[in-house]
Amino acid sequence: MALTASAQTATTAASADKSAKVSSKKRAKKPVITKVAAKKPAATAPKKPAVRRVATPRVSAATRSEAHEGVVEKLSRGAELPVENAAALVPFFEQLYRQQHGQLLGPLRALHYGDSHVAADEWTRDIRERLQQTFGDGGSGYSLAGRPWNTYRRFDVKSGSTRGWHSDGLVGRTGDGIYGLGGVSMTASSPRQSVYLVAEGQQFELYYLQQPGGGAIQIYDNGAPVERISTDGETAPSYFHYDAEPGAHRLEAETLDRAPVRLFGWVAEKPTGVTYEALGINGASASMMLDWNGEVLKSNIERRNPALIVLSYGTNEAGRKDWTLESYRDMFTRLLDRLRADAPTATILVVGPPDRAIKVRGKGWVTLDNVDMIVEAEREAAIAKGCAFWDQRAKMGGKGSMREWVLAGMAQGDYVHLTAPGYHMIGDAMFRDLMSEYGLFVKAREALALAPNVGQP
């Protein structure tokens, strides 16, 4: 289904009688905690199963302590490893500086794409909290609609959905590519199906698909009806915007009829500060992004207007044998070109995959050599396209370092994923390195501002 160039003009709800509802929308702007009589039962999140984790091997306290000290020492030494092509971060740093000094209006947004390491939101939560403590809390930004998979989570919001929704875009559940900003869409075709978001903010948005024959949805804020939206119309990405009183809100979108409704995600923002938006999908690889519908993704990215885009893929690709350095580098280059076209003012930071090992019969856990190729391919593509590169595996201690992280209790027993403390340590290291580069930028910027104007009388 081809999309039209009217995408950006569909940035408000498509209902024809919208202008007649403006006054009622404003009256509903202030949160009403008591539910109105006509309100249908609120959506409830499906019971969230525990996040599946592979236990770390049992070792002596002395072994664990020694391994922990080794991990800490290697991460500390990692501060001496530079962010490669750090000059590419300057546009982001300039916006960060202006944000910090009250010279920019609105929040500064960062989008972090990746696989299960990002989907866990441990690593990204650490970076988010540190950025917001330093530069101000701009809100949760964009998060996926509802609960697209059972273990989906963002630590800075609560979300859920009724059982009548179908998720598209997940690994093994591909569809037409119309998935929106985060690569996952939620579709329902029956009435009384709801998704909700509980978040703090003052400006909220719902990203959805306008489509021929699309159904109607009712928006509620803290139980009070806000607006009825029709999603019927020419196929295009669309947006519902809602200004509210500052504070905590429970936003809910409920289907009203037996017609398809496709939702992408919610936005919750504050007037200023930084957002750091985790957009990870379990099992994802970088090439998946190239299968997302180009017009929808471009419209959504332009709507977010990010100052920073972070890409951290490679763990899953390293486990495949069909990639070569050349083919993976070429694919990754195409992805960077696409993001450059969609967000020409954004800084792009590529984060290489962590170390990884596989279990080989008769040999035990063996370092996965293919990680070498993935790291080098991503590095070459990033540098060639003017992006910064952060070598996560080198920061961990280099090739074979995963074993020490497992023994230290900083990585899980699958030798792939980290534990919560391990992800926090990676988050700390990444924030440390970014702020180190930012400090150098500020020093140079302020020295330049104090320098006398050459050629002036």
Side-chain angles (χ1 to χ4, degrees), residues 293-308:
N293 181 278
E295 191 168 345
V296 172
L297 182 61
K298 180 179 179 63
S299 175
N300 282 188
I301 288 180
E302 287 178 345
R303 185 80 174 184
R304 292 308 293 139
N305 187 26
L308 175 68

Side-chain angles (χ1 to χ4, degrees), residues 343-364:
T345 63
T347 291
I348 300 178
L349 170 62
V350 177
V351 176
D355 193 46
R356 180 181 171 184
I358 56 174
K359 198 168 188 178
V360 178
R361 181 177 295 181
K363 295 182 179 180

